Amino acid sequence: MRQGYGRGQGRGHRWGRQLESSGIRPTLARELVFSVMESSEGHLSVEEVLQEVRKSEEGIGLTTVYRSLELLHSNGLVKKLDFGDGRAVFELSDTLSGKGPHQHLICRSCGQVQDLTGSPVDKEDFAGSMKSFIREKYRFTTENMEIKVYGLCSECG
Amino acid sequence: MRQGYGRGQGRGHRWGRQLESSGIRPTLARELVFSVMESSEGHLSVEEVLQEVRKSEEGIGLTTVYRSLELLHSNGLVKKLDFGDGRAVFELSDTLSGKGPHQHLICRSCGQVQDLTGSPVDKEDFAGSMKSFIREKYRFTTENMEIKVYGLCSECG
DNA sequence: CTGATAATGAAAATCATTTTCATTCTAGTG
DNA sequence: CACTAGAATGAAAATGATTTTCATTATCAG
Ligand SMILES: [Mn+2]
Ligand SMILES: [Mn+2]
Ligand SMILES: [Zn+2]
Ligand SMILES: [Zn+2]
């Protein structure tokens, strides 16, 4: 479609100062991808993000969506998850979504993914003691701890 | 490579009665795959299992290793893991290995995977309270809980 | 405005895993 | 022992998500 990156927003892009400066440009595609992530509750596959993005701008390419999501991910704006079905899914970062740290429940029957919040593992003291245990015993520096719970959702019960 | 399944062991296959009966046959390939898993400490990719297996029997095919591992996995003899590098890795089941339940530390620098044992999450009461919390709040029946810790190993510190 | 550099999209390439299919084995059965 | 239905195997082809390549287009500092 070749028609200018930022058409529409101009500069008002709301996705972080980190990206401004350092040669990373706020383009329409990136803006749209971020916007989709921002306005979506759930966990989206690349293909799903593409569909959403194309509702606003027909000609956006799959490759660009891959690249935009990767960019947002490597800059901490979105999380990249893998629930074992052979494709990545993305969701807005915990801080941006306001959800705070959370884990996931994955139904092995219908595949539904559900956020798990307020569990013992979210508690600061738990995470803390876990990290120090790991450092003491293994000299391993924990950066990120990810928990996935597999089972049956209420539907598939 | 076409020369008889069980050559070597005959029946003495030590991999569970579950497989006997029900038409599942103890073949040489399966025996070798299981044997490799049994005598290996770590976490092996399919390709690595293939290499090991071929040290004993040249002609074993990659497809068969995939199928054997899948068979062992679906019968609970081996665990199938994914550390996010785009390929599955396998390890002997917790009961067969004697390791008991454990989690993993993954170094994001060198990729090394290390077993994590004795952490708070292994404690029975923790797992129990976690499961009941999840059941109460989400009506979700927990079958399996998996924890991965990403960070830097002692080498890459 | 212009040039250097970044971004884009289509198509091709990767790469792990799965499927297909013709061939070979196995475990009975008589 | 001779036979057979069904299981297992391996090579090759197919899949499918993600990445790479490359020619084209857009951005923006000067
Ligand atoms: Mn989530
Ligand atoms: Mn392990
Ligand atoms: Zn379900
Ligand atoms: Zn390391």
Side-chain angles (χ1 to χ4, degrees):
Chain A
M1 26 88 44
R2 274 68 235 252
Q3 72 199 244
Y5 293 164
R7 210 205 49 179
Q9 337 294 327
R11 52 288 323 268
H13 41 85
R14 31 208 192 310
W15 37 299
R17 316 304 146 58
Q18 334 163 38
L19 302 193
E20 314 197 30
S21 70
S22 72
I24 294 179
R25 296 169 181 171
T27 67
L28 173 59
R30 289 167 179 176
E31 181 68 27
L32 290 175
V33 168
F34 181 67
S35 173
V36 164
M37 294 309 299
E38 209 179 13
S39 59
S40 162
E41 283 299 298
H43 310 89
L44 302 180
S45 69
V46 176
E47 206 62 47
E48 288 168 334
V49 173
L50 178 68
Q51 300 316 319
E52 288 305 309
V53 163
R54 283 188 169 163
K55 286 179 181 172
S56 301
E57 198 65 31
E58 181 63 36
I60 302 290
L62 175 60
T63 312
T64 297
V65 173
Y66 268 101
R67 286 188 282 226
S68 297
L69 285 169
E70 182 54 39
L71 181 70
L72 294 174
H73 175 241
S74 64
N75 282 88
L77 300 176
V78 305
K79 292 201 297 181
K80 185 177 186 178
L81 305 168
D82 174 5
F83 296 125
D85 60 342
R87 62 188 192 156
V89 294
F90 296 82
E91 73 175 347
L92 204 56
S93 81
D94 290 344
T95 36
L96 290 178
S97 69
K99 284 179 182 175
H102 70 276
Q103 313 301 150
H104 296 99
L105 306 179
I106 302 111
C107 178
R108 69 159 172 68
S109 172
C110 69
Q112 183 201 123
V113 174
Q114 205 171 166
D115 287 331
L116 162 63
T117 58
S119 78
V121 298
D122 286 342
K123 303 212 183 335
E124 190 46 57
D125 57 327
F126 176 84
S129 65
M130 193 75 176
K131 282 182 67 166
S132 50
F133 173 82
I134 291 171
R135 161 167 285 131
E136 305 289 299
K137 184 167 178 183
Y138 298 95
R139 307 277 161 220
F140 183 100
T141 308
T142 299
E143 290 176 342
N144 173 262
M145 198 175 308
E146 161 178 303
I147 304 186
K148 291 175 198 156
V149 180
Y150 294 90
L152 295 175
C153 75
S154 56
E155 302 287 295
C156 304
Chain B
M1 44 89 43
R2 276 70 232 256
Q3 73 199 244
Y5 292 163
R7 210 203 50 179
Q9 338 293 328
R11 52 287 325 269
H13 41 85
R14 31 207 191 308
W15 36 299
R17 317 303 147 57
Q18 334 162 39
L19 303 194
E20 316 197 29
S21 70
S22 72
I24 295 179
R25 296 170 181 170
T27 67
L28 174 58
R30 289 167 180 176
E31 181 68 27
L32 290 175
V33 169
F34 181 67
S35 174
V36 164
M37 294 309 299
E38 211 179 12
S39 59
S40 160
E41 283 300 299
H43 310 89
L44 302 180
S45 69
V46 176
E47 206 61 48
E48 289 168 332
V49 173
L50 179 67
Q51 300 317 321
E52 288 305 308
V53 162
R54 282 187 169 164
K55 288 180 180 171
S56 301
E57 198 65 32
E58 181 63 36
I60 302 291
L62 175 62
T63 313
T64 296
V65 172
Y66 267 102
R67 286 189 283 227
S68 297
L69 285 170
E70 181 53 40
L71 181 71
L72 295 174
H73 174 241
S74 63
N75 282 88
L77 300 176
V78 305
K79 292 201 297 181
K80 185 177 185 176
L81 305 168
D82 175 5
F83 296 125
D85 60 342
R87 59 185 196 160
V89 294
F90 296 81
E91 73 175 346
L92 204 57
S93 81
D94 291 344
T95 36
L96 291 178
S97 69
K99 285 180 182 174
H102 69 276
Q103 313 302 149
H104 297 99
L105 305 179
I106 303 110
C107 177
R108 70 160 172 67
S109 170
C110 69
Q112 183 201 122
V113 174
Q114 203 171 168
D115 287 331
L116 162 63
T117 57
S119 78
V121 298
D122 287 342
K123 302 213 182 338
E124 190 47 58
D125 58 326
F126 176 84
S129 65
M130 193 75 177
K131 283 182 66 165
S132 50
F133 173 82
I134 291 171
R135 160 166 286 131
E136 304 290 299
K137 184 168 179 183
Y138 299 95
R139 306 280 160 217
F140 182 100
T141 308
T142 299
E143 291 176 341
N144 172 262
M145 198 175 308
E146 162 179 301
I147 305 185
K148 291 176 199 156
V149 180
Y150 293 90
L152 294 176
C153 75
S154 56
E155 301 288 294
C156 305

